[in-house]
Amino acid sequence: MDLAELARHTGAEVNKYYVGLGQTAQTVPAPDEDIVTMAAAAARQIVARHGADGIRTILFATESGIDQSKSAAVYVQDLIGLSAATRAVELKQACYGGTAALQLAAGIVARDPQQRVLVIAADIAKYDLDSAGEATQGGAAVAMLVAANPALAVLDEPSGLYTANVQDFWRPNYRSTPMVDGKLSIGAYLEAVEQAWKDYEGRGGRGFAEFAGFCYHQPFTKMAYKAHTRLLELKGVEPTAARLYADLSRTAVYNRMIGNSYTASLYVALLSLLDHAEDLTGRPVAMFSYGSGAVAELFSLTPVPGYRDQLRTAGNRAAIAGREPISYENYRAVRDFALPDDGAELTVPAVTASPYRLTAVSGHSRIYGADR
Ligand code: COA
């Protein structure tokens, strides 16, 4: 949905969204899509290219969980046909969970370099209707394969860490949308950038000038500009518009059109950078992960020789361009569609063009199908 459609409903000047938030559109998943179908669609591409040998762990990071007990990773293991000799679990810490999964995966691979770990970050960002957060909704899934000899980038040491108990965004079990104090969350995010950077420096991290790129978690792309301004000021660099544009614009191309995808957002920013930058072989990229509540981590990735052969630029662009534009009215119809919460049986209408879909709810269970 183009945010001009939302502006038509809210009466906001559309540039509040296009310029003020740095968002042009938001992904609205179809009724027969959820984090499982999105995750399976992302993961099957990586397994198709790299094979399944040695994958004995799936770590699924999300804050859009479909079950309080069973992990979404189990459904993905089944849908994409991974071995039964797999551990499949779900991780949660707001938008930070994907980074936690990545670091835990690195630990598993360090202990046994024969193993590879499938890390998935998938979320659907949904806020209350007519709330300020509604303009920052979206959804996406990113799959990553963590291995001893990575084909894309090396996960560097050290990390800078920061945790603070902040009530900026949370979702009690009885709610389908989060409680959010937007302004508090922006302030908490900026504080986390500064503190995580200081911890990173204290642990002997790279010098600021060594980075060829800066990827930030992007709840809306303007947030990356606010965060980078804070970091530049901390390092005594003037945050001119030209400097900010040079450092960040290539990281925001996809998220501007997708909207927030919580755990996936930082990794969508990385894809956007890799798909639009010059050759970054051997040139470290700073990664800042933030999850409300709040946990943050600053670390770096260094693209390896040959990484450009692994990029899926055309596929990523096609996935974004292939979405069907919808009006505000159609968006509301999708929002109004709800799965039963009383055990009723439901056949879910077939809408998505994804290879996987949610076909039914039966016996209190979600039933998935692979159409292709
Ligand atoms: N043209 C250009 N810019 C405009 C504008 C216009 N016509 N009208 C407003 N703006 C700018 C504002 O100046 C502001 O920019 P600034 O923050 O750089 O000053 C921006 O647009 C947003 O306007 P604001 O009034 O602050 O928006 P809001 O109060 O309606 O909500 C959020 C903004 C981010 C708080 C809200 O979307 C939200 O709660 N999001 C969910 C939580 C979240 O994403 N948190 C981020 C950290 S995790």
Side-chain angles (χ1 to χ4, degrees), residues 255-291:
N255 279 326
R256 270 183 78 80
M257 298 184 277
I258 291 171
N260 196 356
S261 55
Y262 293 161
T263 53
S265 162
L266 172 63
Y267 299 95
V268 173
L270 175 66
L271 284 176
S272 180
L273 174 66
L274 297 180
D275 282 351
H276 297 96
E278 70 286 2
D279 189 356
L280 294 174
T281 303
R283 303 177 64 201
V285 174
M287 303 282 290
F288 177 73
S289 184
Y290 175 80

Side-chain angles (χ1 to χ4, degrees), residues 100-185:
L102 193 58
Q103 296 292 358
L104 295 176
I108 291 171
V109 171
R111 195 168 71 169
D112 178 1
Q114 301 301 316
Q115 290 192 37
R116 301 187 298 166
V117 178
L118 180 60
V119 170
I120 300 172
D123 268 304
I124 295 169
K126 201 165 83 171
Y127 291 85
D128 282 345
L129 292 170
D130 298 325
S131 70
E134 195 177 15
T136 67
Q137 297 177 130
V142 172
M144 303 175 253
L145 196 56
V146 179
N149 296 305
L152 198 67
V154 170
L155 177 59
D156 302 322
E157 284 281 354
S159 280
L161 302 174
Y162 178 69
T163 288
N165 187 356
V166 189
Q167 215 62 358
D168 59 335
F169 176 114
W170 70 106
R171 182 159 70 84
N173 287 344
Y174 52 83
R175 285 182 57 100
S176 63
T177 51
M179 308 295 300
V180 55
D181 183 335
K183 304 291 184 210
L184 180 65
S185 74

Side-chain angles (χ1 to χ4, degrees), residues 289-348:
S289 184
Y290 175 80
S292 287
V295 177
E297 180 161 346
L298 196 143
F299 63 103
S300 73
L301 293 171
T302 303
V304 299
Y307 85 90
R308 294 183 112 185
D309 298 336
Q310 304 296 328
L311 299 181
R312 302 164 191 269
T313 310
N316 291 335
R317 288 180 179 157
I320 293 170
R323 296 170 304 164
E324 184 186 331
I326 58 170
S327 64
Y328 177 80
E329 289 73 21
N330 282 349
Y331 151 73
R332 281 298 296 263
V334 173
R335 276 292 299 248
D336 290 345
F337 175 84
L339 297 179
D341 58 6
D342 59 357
E345 304 279 307
L346 175 79
T347 299
V348 181

Side-chain angles (χ1 to χ4, degrees), residues 12-22 95 127 131-137 168-169 178 180-190 217-220 222-223 226 260 262 290-292:
E13 159 67 31
V14 72
N15 278 340
K16 173 176 176 180
Y17 304 146
Y18 286 177
V19 180
L21 296 177
C95 305
Y127 291 85
S131 70
E134 195 177 15
T136 67
Q137 297 177 130
D168 59 335
F169 176 114
V180 55
D181 183 335
K183 304 291 184 210
L184 180 65
S185 74
I186 292 171
Y189 182 124
L190 295 176
H217 167 54
Q218 294 172 2
F220 48 97
K222 184 80 170 290
M223 189 67 227
K226 291 177 187 287
N260 196 356
Y262 293 161
Y290 175 80
S292 287

Side-chain angles (χ1 to χ4, degrees), residues 53 59 74 92 110 137 260:
D53 288 353
L59 301 179
V74 174
K92 175 178 68 186
Q137 297 177 130
N260 196 356

